[in-house]
Amino acid sequence: MAVDNRVATNQAPPLVGHDVISSDQALVDAVRTHGSPETAEELRPIGVLAGTEEAQEHGRLANRHTPELVPFDRYGNRVDEVRFHPSWHWLMERGVGFGLGAAPWTSDDPHAHVRRAAGFFGWSQTEPGHGCPISMTYAAVPALRADDALAKEWTPRLASTTYDFGLRPADAKAGALAGMGMTEKQGGSDVRQNLTEAHPTAVDGEYTLHGHKWFTSAPMNDVFLVLAQASGGLTCFLVPRVLADGSRNRIDVMRLKDKLGNRSNASSELELDGTWAQRLGDEGRGVRTIIEMVAATRLDCVLGSASLMRKALAEASWHVAHRSAFGSLLADKPLMQNVVADLAVESEAATALGIRLAGAVDRLSDPHEAALRRIALPLAKYWVCKRTPMMVAEALECLGGNGYVEESGLPLLFRESPLNSIWEGSGNVNALDVLRALGREPEVLDAWIVEVGKAQGADPRLDRAVRTTLETLADTAGAEVHARRLAVQMALCLQGALLVQHSPAEVADAFCASRLGGEYAGTLGTLPGGLDLPAIVRRATPVLQ
Ligand SMILES: Cc1cc2nc3c(=O)[nH]c(=O)nc-3n(C[C@H](O)[C@H](O)[C@H](O)COP(=O)(O)OP(=O)(O)OC[C@H]3O[C@@H](n4cnc5c(N)ncnc54)[C@H](O)[C@@H]3O)c2cc1C
């Protein structure tokens, strides 16, 4: 029989038309545990829309047609606009509309942050770049609380579920978005080196800023929290993009960054020259003020990375469930089962930890939850974000050559995958923050011990890992050189404790054997024998509605 080259055989159909949230058992279980069964149900519209061909196509287009800086109008006037493809606006409108910005801070739902975290996790699977302005909008509110009047003025705008794009005074808009300007050329992590100056005006609490910012993402947002040096030291300022009289604040967008990934999102270099600003918090308390925003964005780094992992896992498990080689489905090959099961374990551990931390935000008035969040956020940010590039690369390889081709969507995930480890405190900075928390706040170690203690006796490998971690803590005595080792061990114990309590036995068993029991050979796909790999793969494989 002649070969018909016009019809492709043995290719997986596109993964569209599934509810990316409901078909993710690990996510649903985490939401039920740390939120409620109703919370999981409420997320359905987000999951269904995120899985449609339409949404996936908007994600592709927003990355293909990247934002464009328009510094001047046709007459030479400075306008500092950024032009986006309509697909960017389509994604933003829905992301904000689903309440993924600052809405949880004004909600009386006791699970508002878990709901939003899972929604963000699911919706980011359309495309990750537009998560940046949404995250910063979510994160600005806790920092704004340093000033009652500014919080009262800005929180309702940021909590709005209306996406209202364009440079107009915030009062005239149905919703606003926030950004942050910390990083400068001479120092990002070490913000004490910031050179941008703040000069007080004649009006109390008002200043002008003079300097630059080396990275400020989403420069079209309506308001920014910015660090600058005042006479009393490094201080946080609120900087609106447009002033109340409708004129544009002096924020010159010098250029947009040409980035590895995150291409749908605009990240800019700014110059500030007489930029009007209001002080947020006291002079000299800039880091203390903006750290609240940093903490909330770190949660989104964990969730964003876990979301990248889940999307990569969904594509990998879907592909192997449809592609045959050497006489049978790839999904039935023992070695491929080992790879996909290992990916699934990594993904579930990341998901469980991210949603657990969102639950802590819902219960911050509980001292245990507040202390746990303080220590577990930098741990999780360090570990989950570090695992993402290798995990996504392995998932990409499950698709063989197809995975390396743009149309598969995997290259986009791969390019995005290192980012969450860099911004909001790079890997070392987060590992060192774990040491700082342990050194300055004794209650955070107690919180970690209580949290992992909830699973005591459930698995001897976990019990042993907790003991070893405490020994490492005692042996290393806060030495910076060992900060990563300690962060990894503490994060793994937290993940293990969550999985043995709340995930199916086969997932917890595989995690404990490999990540805690030492049966790990350096790459994914090296799970030891005696595990129920087919069950883990089945749980991870998306199901169409
Ligand atoms: C796409 C993108 C968007 C961004 N958007 C924003 C934004 O909107 N607003 C904003 O303010 N910033 C933004 N950033 C900047 C980002 O937060 C910084 O790049 C990051 O904090 C690291 O700072 P840096 O680049 O100056 O690197 P450095 O601080 O110079 O760090 C370089 C390396 O040294 C390590 N290091 C630093 N200190 C120590 C130490 N004490 N011991 C050991 N190692 C150390 C770091 O972990 C890192 O690996 C963005 C960055 C990217 C890539």
Side-chain angles (χ1 to χ4, degrees), residues 27 30-31 34-35 114 117-118 121 299 303 350-360:
L27 178 64
V31 171
H34 306 295
V114 166
F121 179 108
L299 172 62
L303 294 166
T351 303
L353 187 52
I355 299 297
R356 171 67 186 89
L357 286 173

Side-chain angles (χ1 to χ4, degrees), residues 129-184:
H130 76 292
C132 170
I134 290 178
S135 287
M136 292 193 293
T137 301
Y138 169 69
V141 170
L144 279 173
R145 289 175 180 165
D147 184 302
D148 286 345
L150 289 177
K152 207 166 155 214
E153 182 185 352
W154 282 95
T155 302
R157 294 171 182 157
L158 302 178
S160 166
T161 53
T162 302
Y163 173 61
D164 192 353
F165 181 77
L167 294 183
R168 301 194 307 286
D171 255 355
K173 298 184 76 169
L177 299 173
M180 59 157 68
M182 295 195 294
T183 309
E184 298 187 4

Side-chain angles (χ1 to χ4, degrees), residues 132 136 180-185 187-190 215-218 259 262 267 419 422-429 432 480:
C132 170
M136 292 193 293
M180 59 157 68
M182 295 195 294
T183 309
E184 298 187 4
K185 292 171 197 167
S189 309
D190 188 1
F215 275 95
T216 299
S217 290
K259 297 172 288 184
N262 195 255
S267 298
L419 177 55
I422 296 172
W423 62 15
E424 301 306 331
S426 303
N428 286 355
V429 170
L432 292 171
E480 287 191 9

Side-chain angles (χ1 to χ4, degrees), residues 209-544:
L209 305 187
H210 309 261
H212 79 278
K213 292 292 157 185
W214 183 231
F215 275 95
T216 299
S217 290
M220 288 298 284
N221 281 1
D222 302 284
V223 66
F224 296 85
L225 301 197
V226 172
L227 289 181
Q229 303 284 2
S231 58
L234 193 63
T235 304
C236 187
F237 293 93
L238 182 139
V239 179
R241 189 72 158 77
V242 178
L243 301 174
D245 65 4
S247 62
R248 292 178 180 198
N249 204 357
R250 183 70 195 266
I251 299 175
D252 294 346
V253 183
M254 305 311 288
R255 55 173 178 165
L256 300 185
K257 302 281 195 187
D258 185 6
K259 297 172 288 184
L260 166 68
N262 195 255
R263 297 186 70 82
S264 63
N265 181 32
S267 298
S268 66
E269 297 167 18
L270 304 179
E271 282 187 4
L272 309 173
D273 184 11
T275 310
W276 185 79
Q278 288 166 291
R279 195 184 65 241
L280 180 62
D282 293 335
E283 280 196 10
R285 305 273 293 172
V287 172
R288 188 54 74 90
T289 303
I290 210 164
I291 203 73
E292 291 296 328
M293 183 169 185
V294 171
T297 41
R298 280 183 182 174
L299 172 62
D300 275 16
C301 291
V302 177
L303 294 166
S305 285
S307 163
L308 288 176
M309 285 195 203
R310 170 58 199 170
K311 168 107 172 161
L313 169 66
E315 293 289 348
S317 57
W318 180 256
H319 182 84
V320 302
H322 292 88
R323 173 90 166 178
S324 297
F326 300 99
S328 62
L329 273 180
L330 287 172
D332 294 333
K333 308 283 186 195
L335 186 51
M336 185 55 96
Q337 286 177 350
N338 197 324
V339 173
V340 177
D342 216 355
L343 294 172
V345 167
E346 195 67 41
S347 172
E348 181 148 355
T351 303
L353 187 52
I355 299 297
R356 171 67 186 89
L357 286 173
V361 183
D362 275 322
R363 296 183 288 276
L364 269 186
S365 54
D366 175 339
H368 168 72
E369 298 290 312
L372 180 70
R373 175 177 178 257
R374 172 68 188 94
I375 187 75
L377 256 187
L379 286 176
K381 161 87 162 74
Y382 174 72
W383 179 237
V384 172
C385 299
K386 273 277 164 268
R387 292 292 281 178
T388 308
M390 65 176 283
M391 190 282 182
V392 172
E394 198 65 63
L396 181 155
E397 191 173 324
C398 290
L399 278 73
N402 286 0
Y404 201 70
V405 173
E406 286 292 336
E407 285 166 315
S408 72
L410 271 298
L412 185 150
L413 300 184
F414 186 59
R415 284 194 298 272
E416 189 80 11
S417 65
L419 177 55
N420 284 319
S421 188
I422 296 172
W423 62 15
E424 301 306 331
S426 303
N428 286 355
V429 170
N430 269 276
L432 292 171
D433 193 34
V434 173
L435 292 190
R436 189 174 308 112
L438 289 168
R440 289 189 188 163
E441 302 166 51
E443 66 276 14
V444 302
L445 178 59
D446 295 340
W448 180 86
I449 291 171
V450 167
E451 194 67 14
V452 295
K454 291 176 183 170
Q456 194 176 11
D459 190 298
R461 295 162 295 194
L462 174 59
D463 292 345
R464 205 167 38 245
V466 171
R467 282 196 303 276
T468 309
T469 304
L470 289 171
E471 283 162 21
T472 305
L473 192 57
D475 292 348
T476 55
E480 287 191 9
V481 68
H482 299 305
R484 281 187 177 220
R485 190 148 70 92
L486 184 65
V488 172
Q489 288 182 8
M490 292 183 82
L492 284 172
C493 289
L494 274 180
Q495 289 184 320
L498 289 168
L499 296 188
V500 300
Q501 290 176 90
H502 309 299
S503 292
E506 61 270 14
V507 176
D509 193 19
F511 183 90
C512 291
S514 53
R515 276 73 170 167
L516 303 177
E519 295 194 70
Y520 177 62
T523 63
L524 288 157
T526 58
L527 292 171
L531 301 169
D532 190 352
L533 303 181
I536 302 174
V537 173
R538 261 197 312 279
R539 175 174 167 82
T541 307
V543 184
L544 297 187

